[in-house]
Amino acid sequence: MLKLYDFELSGNCFKVRLMMSILGLIYETEVVEFYPGREHKTPEFLKINPLGQLPVLQDGEKTLRDSQAILVYLAAMYDSTHQWYPVNRPDVLGDIQIWLAFADSLTGSISAARLHELFMYEFDAESCRSRAYDLLDVMDKHLWMQRQRGFTYLCPLAHATVADIACFPYVAMADEAGLCLQNYPSVRLWLDAVKRVPGFTVMSGIFPAGDAPH
């Protein structure tokens, strides 16, 4: 049985829940109160993840920390179609790795600003937002070029990959970080496309396709 150490409002936890929903996986959840309880920093949780971070996935005796690593593991282990992590396409795997690293940058910018706005974490929110807009510029231009080539998602394939799942949550919740996506039309089209992937699920702050407020 898969077990996810989870916090409902975490975008990094959501991306794992989303991947498991898309793959149709059954899993057990153990809630770790990130805020205000800070249970991810307790001695009990640090035995599970010494880094004191969420999410954590246990699959039998295997324990995985880091949301991007978990996405790769789930796709490689449980997606028999190899759609989400195409192991037979090393050229695409290189692109995926680029966007997994990019997702970490989104966590360090959009997520940090969101933590400041929602949970009063002591981050320099303006600096985080400035960095986030730089990243959104890169992403929007890339997605525009992808559309010129006939592709909808981040990688040059006809379908989404773990790269899209990794980057999706914090971009989708950009408004909670004090960011506006109005000037990023290609990003907004991509968000809508990800929301239409079969098995897509929602969380607080992330709406189904077509239902987001204007």
Side-chain angles (χ1 to χ4, degrees):
M1 172 67 73
L2 292 165
K3 181 176 182 178
L4 176 65
Y5 291 84
D6 185 32
F7 178 64
E8 171 65 25
L9 298 180
S10 163
N12 281 330
C13 291
F14 170 71
K15 66 182 69 171
V16 176
R17 298 198 304 269
L18 177 56
M19 188 80 259
M20 291 197 285
S21 177
I22 290 169
L23 296 177
L25 300 176
I26 297 171
Y27 62 96
E28 173 188 352
T29 297
E30 180 161 328
V31 175
V32 179
E33 189 180 79
F34 179 87
Y35 182 88
R38 293 181 61 82
E39 291 180 354
H40 60 303
K41 300 298 185 182
T42 62
E44 293 77 15
F45 185 76
L46 291 175
K47 293 177 182 178
I48 299 166
N49 182 2
L51 297 177
Q53 297 172 345
L54 291 168
V56 173
L57 182 75
Q58 289 181 338
D59 188 2
E61 295 185 359
K62 181 71 174 177
T63 299
L64 290 125
R65 317 165 187 80
D66 181 81
S67 57
Q68 273 66 264
I70 294 171
L71 293 180
V72 169
Y73 175 81
L74 289 171
M77 178 67 73
Y78 293 106
D79 174 26
S80 60
T81 70
H82 303 303
Q83 168 180 327
W84 291 97
Y85 193 70
V87 293
N88 60 333
R89 291 287 306 272
D91 56 326
V92 175
L93 292 181
D95 290 335
I96 287 175
Q97 190 59 48
I98 289 170
W99 290 105
L100 293 180
F102 191 88
D104 283 333
S105 297
L106 294 173
T107 298
S109 54
I110 300 179
S111 174
R114 179 174 174 264
L115 286 172
H116 174 84
E117 298 296 331
L118 296 186
F119 303 127
M120 297 169 286
Y121 271 62
E122 294 184 2
F123 291 116
D124 182 343
E126 288 307 315
S127 175
C128 291
R129 281 190 278 268
S130 177
R131 173 59 175 154
Y133 280 128
D134 289 342
L135 295 171
L136 289 168
D137 282 336
V138 170
M139 195 175 199
D140 197 71
K141 290 172 183 175
H142 171 78
L143 287 165
W144 184 87
M145 288 297 298
Q146 283 287 87
R147 284 177 26 238
Q148 309 317 301
R149 299 168 62 197
F151 301 116
T152 301
Y153 301 101
L154 290 171
C155 295
L157 295 170
H159 52 77
T161 68
V162 295
D164 300 281
I165 304 303
C167 292
F168 174 83
Y170 288 119
V171 177
M173 295 187 290
D175 61 326
E176 294 187 348
L179 295 159
C180 177
L181 298 181
Q182 182 174 352
N183 294 329
Y184 304 98
S186 295
V187 167
R188 289 186 279 114
L189 286 170
W190 167 77
L191 288 173
D192 186 74
V194 175
K195 290 178 178 182
R196 297 180 190 279
V197 170
F200 181 82
T201 188
V202 299
M203 67 169 280
S204 176
I206 295 182
F207 303 87
D211 289 348
H214 298 286

